[in-house]
Amino acid sequence: MRSAFATVPFYRERWALDGREDPVVVPGRTGTNGGAAPLAEAVHKLVDLVPLAGGARRPEPARGLGRVLRTARRPGPGSLVVLLGPDDLRPPTDLPKGVRGCVADPDAPSAAVLRELAAVLDRGQRVLAVGDDKALAAFTEDHRVEAVPHRELDSLDAGPYGVLHDPVLGYLGALGDCGRWHLDWPHVYARPTTAGLAFTLLRQASPRFVDVVPAGGVRGEIGFCPRHGTPVVLA
């Protein structure tokens, strides 16, 4: 947080107005929602989320997919991960070694994607399709394709499979085999605030998302999984 306060215009301005200094709350001033900001407000000022030294201005909706898939449905070597979404969606870049990825329009997948999908399945290897329920239903009826549905913070369910996704922040966690929604805790931090659960992307340099509240504000808690001992979302 100190780095964001010192180098990112959005947080410098917001925290100063809330009575915060580097970034400790000034005595007698509690700030707004403990310093958390609505994600929608941050996105509206996206250019101000870039550090003073410069950096990327475009959010990465596919950020973190490779890591959370290890929890949701771990792909093995030779697997193909098909991320369903619009044409301007960038392919995932953090998939495990030996796993390939691509992006496909669920309503009109390209011939190249369909050929690759068929070739992988014919070799007896796995294809994982990642997207929302509508996209998954439209993409293919081949029962061999393994579905990994998106769930936003306000629509978490009991699975049996799923990844916690935000269109701006990317992939924040996944439903584990224990039935709990695990945070991608080395890369994502979350805490409850009066506005709802707030998230910080710990290792994304730009645009910098610190203590932002997605999905319009969803009340919840962060606990620890009794089986794995790592943070889980209780929303």
Side-chain angles (χ1 to χ4, degrees), residues 106-126:
D107 297 308
S110 69
V113 168
L114 293 177
R115 283 196 302 269
E116 180 65 14
L117 183 150
V120 172
L121 291 174
D122 288 344
R123 291 196 298 267
Q125 295 172 321
R126 297 169 63 200

PDB file of all heavy atoms in Angstrom, residues 106-126:
ATOM      1  N   PRO A 106     -17.315 -17.967 -28.457  1.00  0.00           N
ATOM      2  CA  PRO A 106     -18.149 -19.151 -28.209  1.00  0.00           C
ATOM      3  C   PRO A 106     -19.258 -19.344 -29.235  1.00  0.00           C
ATOM      4  O   PRO A 106     -19.675 -20.480 -29.490  1.00  0.00           O
ATOM      5  CB  PRO A 106     -18.723 -18.890 -26.812  1.00  0.00           C
ATOM      6  CG  PRO A 106     -18.641 -17.409 -26.637  1.00  0.00           C
ATOM      7  CD  PRO A 106     -17.414 -16.977 -27.373  1.00  0.00           C
ATOM      8  N   ASP A 107     -19.723 -18.253 -29.827  1.00  0.00           N
ATOM      9  CA  ASP A 107     -20.816 -18.354 -30.793  1.00  0.00           C
ATOM     10  C   ASP A 107     -20.329 -18.667 -32.201  1.00  0.00           C
ATOM     11  O   ASP A 107     -21.092 -19.200 -33.015  1.00  0.00           O
ATOM     12  CB  ASP A 107     -21.616 -17.046 -30.811  1.00  0.00           C
ATOM     13  CG  ASP A 107     -22.284 -16.775 -29.477  1.00  0.00           C
ATOM     14  OD1 ASP A 107     -22.979 -17.676 -28.975  1.00  0.00           O
ATOM     15  OD2 ASP A 107     -22.086 -15.675 -28.930  1.00  0.00           O
ATOM     16  N   ALA A 108     -19.069 -18.348 -32.488  1.00  0.00           N
ATOM     17  CA  ALA A 108     -18.533 -18.587 -33.830  1.00  0.00           C
ATOM     18  C   ALA A 108     -17.043 -18.884 -33.744  1.00  0.00           C
ATOM     19  O   ALA A 108     -16.215 -18.096 -34.198  1.00  0.00           O
ATOM     20  CB  ALA A 108     -18.791 -17.379 -34.728  1.00  0.00           C
ATOM     21  N   PRO A 109     -16.671 -20.020 -33.146  1.00  0.00           N
ATOM     22  CA  PRO A 109     -15.245 -20.349 -33.045  1.00  0.00           C
ATOM     23  C   PRO A 109     -14.634 -20.532 -34.425  1.00  0.00           C
ATOM     24  O   PRO A 109     -15.289 -21.032 -35.345  1.00  0.00           O
ATOM     25  CB  PRO A 109     -15.243 -21.654 -32.245  1.00  0.00           C
ATOM     26  CG  PRO A 109     -16.612 -22.222 -32.404  1.00  0.00           C
ATOM     27  CD  PRO A 109     -17.528 -21.053 -32.551  1.00  0.00           C
ATOM     28  N   SER A 110     -13.393 -20.125 -34.566  1.00  0.00           N
ATOM     29  CA  SER A 110     -12.732 -20.209 -35.864  1.00  0.00           C
ATOM     30  C   SER A 110     -12.478 -21.663 -36.241  1.00  0.00           C
ATOM     31  O   SER A 110     -12.428 -22.558 -35.385  1.00  0.00           O
ATOM     32  CB  SER A 110     -11.406 -19.451 -35.826  1.00  0.00           C
ATOM     33  OG  SER A 110     -10.480 -20.125 -34.988  1.00  0.00           O
ATOM     34  N   ALA A 111     -12.284 -21.875 -37.532  1.00  0.00           N
ATOM     35  CA  ALA A 111     -11.996 -23.227 -38.017  1.00  0.00           C
ATOM     36  C   ALA A 111     -10.704 -23.753 -37.414  1.00  0.00           C
ATOM     37  O   ALA A 111     -10.586 -24.948 -37.111  1.00  0.00           O
ATOM     38  CB  ALA A 111     -11.915 -23.215 -39.541  1.00  0.00           C
ATOM     39  N   ALA A 112      -9.721 -22.865 -37.216  1.00  0.00           N
ATOM     40  CA  ALA A 112      -8.441 -23.290 -36.646  1.00  0.00           C
ATOM     41  C   ALA A 112      -8.617 -23.809 -35.222  1.00  0.00           C
ATOM     42  O   ALA A 112      -8.020 -24.820 -34.833  1.00  0.00           O
ATOM     43  CB  ALA A 112      -7.452 -22.130 -36.675  1.00  0.00           C
ATOM     44  N   VAL A 113      -9.436 -23.114 -34.433  1.00  0.00           N
ATOM     45  CA  VAL A 113      -9.684 -23.551 -33.057  1.00  0.00           C
ATOM     46  C   VAL A 113     -10.397 -24.900 -33.052  1.00  0.00           C
ATOM     47  O   VAL A 113     -10.039 -25.811 -32.289  1.00  0.00           O
ATOM     48  CB  VAL A 113     -10.509 -22.499 -32.294  1.00  0.00           C
ATOM     49  CG1 VAL A 113     -11.028 -23.071 -30.972  1.00  0.00           C
ATOM     50  CG2 VAL A 113      -9.671 -21.258 -32.027  1.00  0.00           C
ATOM     51  N   LEU A 114     -11.390 -25.069 -33.909  1.00  0.00           N
ATOM     52  CA  LEU A 114     -12.139 -26.325 -33.945  1.00  0.00           C
ATOM     53  C   LEU A 114     -11.252 -27.486 -34.396  1.00  0.00           C
ATOM     54  O   LEU A 114     -11.373 -28.605 -33.877  1.00  0.00           O
ATOM     55  CB  LEU A 114     -13.347 -26.180 -34.867  1.00  0.00           C
ATOM     56  CG  LEU A 114     -14.429 -25.207 -34.378  1.00  0.00           C
ATOM     57  CD1 LEU A 114     -15.546 -25.097 -35.402  1.00  0.00           C
ATOM     58  CD2 LEU A 114     -14.981 -25.639 -33.022  1.00  0.00           C
ATOM     59  N   ARG A 115     -10.356 -27.225 -35.347  1.00  0.00           N
ATOM     60  CA  ARG A 115      -9.432 -28.283 -35.780  1.00  0.00           C
ATOM     61  C   ARG A 115      -8.499 -28.691 -34.643  1.00  0.00           C
ATOM     62  O   ARG A 115      -8.253 -29.882 -34.420  1.00  0.00           O
ATOM     63  CB  ARG A 115      -8.619 -27.802 -36.985  1.00  0.00           C
ATOM     64  CG  ARG A 115      -9.374 -27.807 -38.303  1.00  0.00           C
ATOM     65  CD  ARG A 115      -8.412 -27.701 -39.480  1.00  0.00           C
ATOM     66  NE  ARG A 115      -7.583 -26.506 -39.407  1.00  0.00           N
ATOM     67  CZ  ARG A 115      -7.916 -25.338 -39.951  1.00  0.00           C
ATOM     68  NH1 ARG A 115      -9.069 -25.214 -40.603  1.00  0.00           N
ATOM     69  NH2 ARG A 115      -7.114 -24.293 -39.857  1.00  0.00           N
ATOM     70  N   GLU A 116      -7.979 -27.695 -33.941  1.00  0.00           N
ATOM     71  CA  GLU A 116      -7.062 -27.998 -32.842  1.00  0.00           C
ATOM     72  C   GLU A 116      -7.788 -28.741 -31.726  1.00  0.00           C
ATOM     73  O   GLU A 116      -7.255 -29.702 -31.156  1.00  0.00           O
ATOM     74  CB  GLU A 116      -6.456 -26.704 -32.301  1.00  0.00           C
ATOM     75  CG  GLU A 116      -5.478 -26.890 -31.155  1.00  0.00           C
ATOM     76  CD  GLU A 116      -4.228 -27.650 -31.557  1.00  0.00           C
ATOM     77  OE1 GLU A 116      -3.987 -27.817 -32.772  1.00  0.00           O
ATOM     78  OE2 GLU A 116      -3.487 -28.086 -30.655  1.00  0.00           O
ATOM     79  N   LEU A 117      -9.001 -28.314 -31.418  1.00  0.00           N
ATOM     80  CA  LEU A 117      -9.791 -28.982 -30.386  1.00  0.00           C
ATOM     81  C   LEU A 117     -10.007 -30.453 -30.749  1.00  0.00           C
ATOM     82  O   LEU A 117      -9.805 -31.354 -29.923  1.00  0.00           O
ATOM     83  CB  LEU A 117     -11.127 -28.255 -30.230  1.00  0.00           C
ATOM     84  CG  LEU A 117     -12.090 -28.733 -29.142  1.00  0.00           C
ATOM     85  CD1 LEU A 117     -12.925 -27.560 -28.642  1.00  0.00           C
ATOM     86  CD2 LEU A 117     -13.027 -29.814 -29.668  1.00  0.00           C
ATOM     87  N   ALA A 118     -10.393 -30.703 -31.995  1.00  0.00           N
ATOM     88  CA  ALA A 118     -10.647 -32.081 -32.433  1.00  0.00           C
ATOM     89  C   ALA A 118      -9.371 -32.912 -32.388  1.00  0.00           C
ATOM     90  O   ALA A 118      -9.392 -34.084 -31.976  1.00  0.00           O
ATOM     91  CB  ALA A 118     -11.237 -32.072 -33.839  1.00  0.00           C
ATOM     92  N   ALA A 119      -8.249 -32.319 -32.792  1.00  0.00           N
ATOM     93  CA  ALA A 119      -6.985 -33.052 -32.808  1.00  0.00           C
ATOM     94  C   ALA A 119      -6.558 -33.442 -31.396  1.00  0.00           C
ATOM     95  O   ALA A 119      -6.089 -34.563 -31.157  1.00  0.00           O
ATOM     96  CB  ALA A 119      -5.907 -32.204 -33.474  1.00  0.00           C
ATOM     97  N   VAL A 120      -6.712 -32.518 -30.449  1.00  0.00           N
ATOM     98  CA  VAL A 120      -6.330 -32.808 -29.063  1.00  0.00           C
ATOM     99  C   VAL A 120      -7.209 -33.918 -28.492  1.00  0.00           C
ATOM    100  O   VAL A 120      -6.717 -34.862 -27.854  1.00  0.00           O
ATOM    101  CB  VAL A 120      -6.426 -31.531 -28.203  1.00  0.00           C
ATOM    102  CG1 VAL A 120      -6.228 -31.858 -26.723  1.00  0.00           C
ATOM    103  CG2 VAL A 120      -5.393 -30.508 -28.653  1.00  0.00           C
ATOM    104  N   LEU A 121      -8.501 -33.834 -28.725  1.00  0.00           N
ATOM    105  CA  LEU A 121      -9.406 -34.860 -28.217  1.00  0.00           C
ATOM    106  C   LEU A 121      -9.133 -36.214 -28.861  1.00  0.00           C
ATOM    107  O   LEU A 121      -9.180 -37.257 -28.194  1.00  0.00           O
ATOM    108  CB  LEU A 121     -10.855 -34.440 -28.455  1.00  0.00           C
ATOM    109  CG  LEU A 121     -11.354 -33.246 -27.631  1.00  0.00           C
ATOM    110  CD1 LEU A 121     -12.760 -32.853 -28.074  1.00  0.00           C
ATOM    111  CD2 LEU A 121     -11.343 -33.561 -26.138  1.00  0.00           C
ATOM    112  N   ASP A 122      -8.835 -36.216 -30.152  1.00  0.00           N
ATOM    113  CA  ASP A 122      -8.562 -37.481 -30.848  1.00  0.00           C
ATOM    114  C   ASP A 122      -7.290 -38.141 -30.328  1.00  0.00           C
ATOM    115  O   ASP A 122      -7.141 -39.371 -30.419  1.00  0.00           O
ATOM    116  CB  ASP A 122      -8.450 -37.240 -32.358  1.00  0.00           C
ATOM    117  CG  ASP A 122      -9.799 -36.927 -32.994  1.00  0.00           C
ATOM    118  OD1 ASP A 122     -10.832 -37.187 -32.340  1.00  0.00           O
ATOM    119  OD2 ASP A 122      -9.822 -36.416 -34.127  1.00  0.00           O
ATOM    120  N   ARG A 123      -6.372 -37.346 -29.793  1.00  0.00           N
ATOM    121  CA  ARG A 123      -5.152 -37.905 -29.200  1.00  0.00           C
ATOM    122  C   ARG A 123      -5.391 -38.404 -27.783  1.00  0.00           C
ATOM    123  O   ARG A 123      -4.477 -38.900 -27.124  1.00  0.00           O
ATOM    124  CB  ARG A 123      -4.036 -36.852 -29.184  1.00  0.00           C
ATOM    125  CG  ARG A 123      -3.507 -36.481 -30.555  1.00  0.00           C
ATOM    126  CD  ARG A 123      -2.173 -35.752 -30.448  1.00  0.00           C
ATOM    127  NE  ARG A 123      -2.279 -34.492 -29.730  1.00  0.00           N
ATOM    128  CZ  ARG A 123      -2.481 -33.310 -30.307  1.00  0.00           C
ATOM    129  NH1 ARG A 123      -2.629 -33.240 -31.632  1.00  0.00           N
ATOM    130  NH2 ARG A 123      -2.554 -32.212 -29.586  1.00  0.00           N
ATOM    131  N   GLY A 124      -6.609 -38.244 -27.306  1.00  0.00           N
ATOM    132  CA  GLY A 124      -6.934 -38.688 -25.958  1.00  0.00           C
ATOM    133  C   GLY A 124      -6.492 -37.730 -24.875  1.00  0.00           C
ATOM    134  O   GLY A 124      -6.435 -38.108 -23.697  1.00  0.00           O
ATOM    135  N   GLN A 125      -6.205 -36.486 -25.260  1.00  0.00           N
ATOM    136  CA  GLN A 125      -5.795 -35.488 -24.281  1.00  0.00           C
ATOM    137  C   GLN A 125      -6.966 -34.574 -23.939  1.00  0.00           C
ATOM    138  O   GLN A 125      -8.017 -34.616 -24.581  1.00  0.00           O
ATOM    139  CB  GLN A 125      -4.598 -34.703 -24.818  1.00  0.00           C
ATOM    140  CG  GLN A 125      -3.361 -35.587 -24.975  1.00  0.00           C
ATOM    141  CD  GLN A 125      -2.224 -34.895 -25.677  1.00  0.00           C
ATOM    142  OE1 GLN A 125      -2.429 -34.144 -26.627  1.00  0.00           O
ATOM    143  NE2 GLN A 125      -1.002 -35.156 -25.228  1.00  0.00           N
ATOM    144  N   ARG A 126      -6.774 -33.755 -22.938  1.00  0.00           N
ATOM    145  CA  ARG A 126      -7.889 -32.999 -22.374  1.00  0.00           C
ATOM    146  C   ARG A 126      -8.033 -31.622 -23.010  1.00  0.00           C
ATOM    147  O   ARG A 126      -7.046 -30.971 -23.353  1.00  0.00           O
ATOM    148  CB  ARG A 126      -7.695 -32.841 -20.864  1.00  0.00           C
ATOM    149  CG  ARG A 126      -7.690 -34.154 -20.110  1.00  0.00           C
ATOM    150  CD  ARG A 126      -7.226 -33.954 -18.685  1.00  0.00           C
ATOM    151  NE  ARG A 126      -8.135 -33.094 -17.932  1.00  0.00           N
ATOM    152  CZ  ARG A 126      -7.784 -32.452 -16.817  1.00  0.00           C
ATOM    153  NH1 ARG A 126      -6.552 -32.553 -16.351  1.00  0.00           N
ATOM    154  NH2 ARG A 126      -8.668 -31.702 -16.188  1.00  0.00           N
TER     155      ARG A 126
END
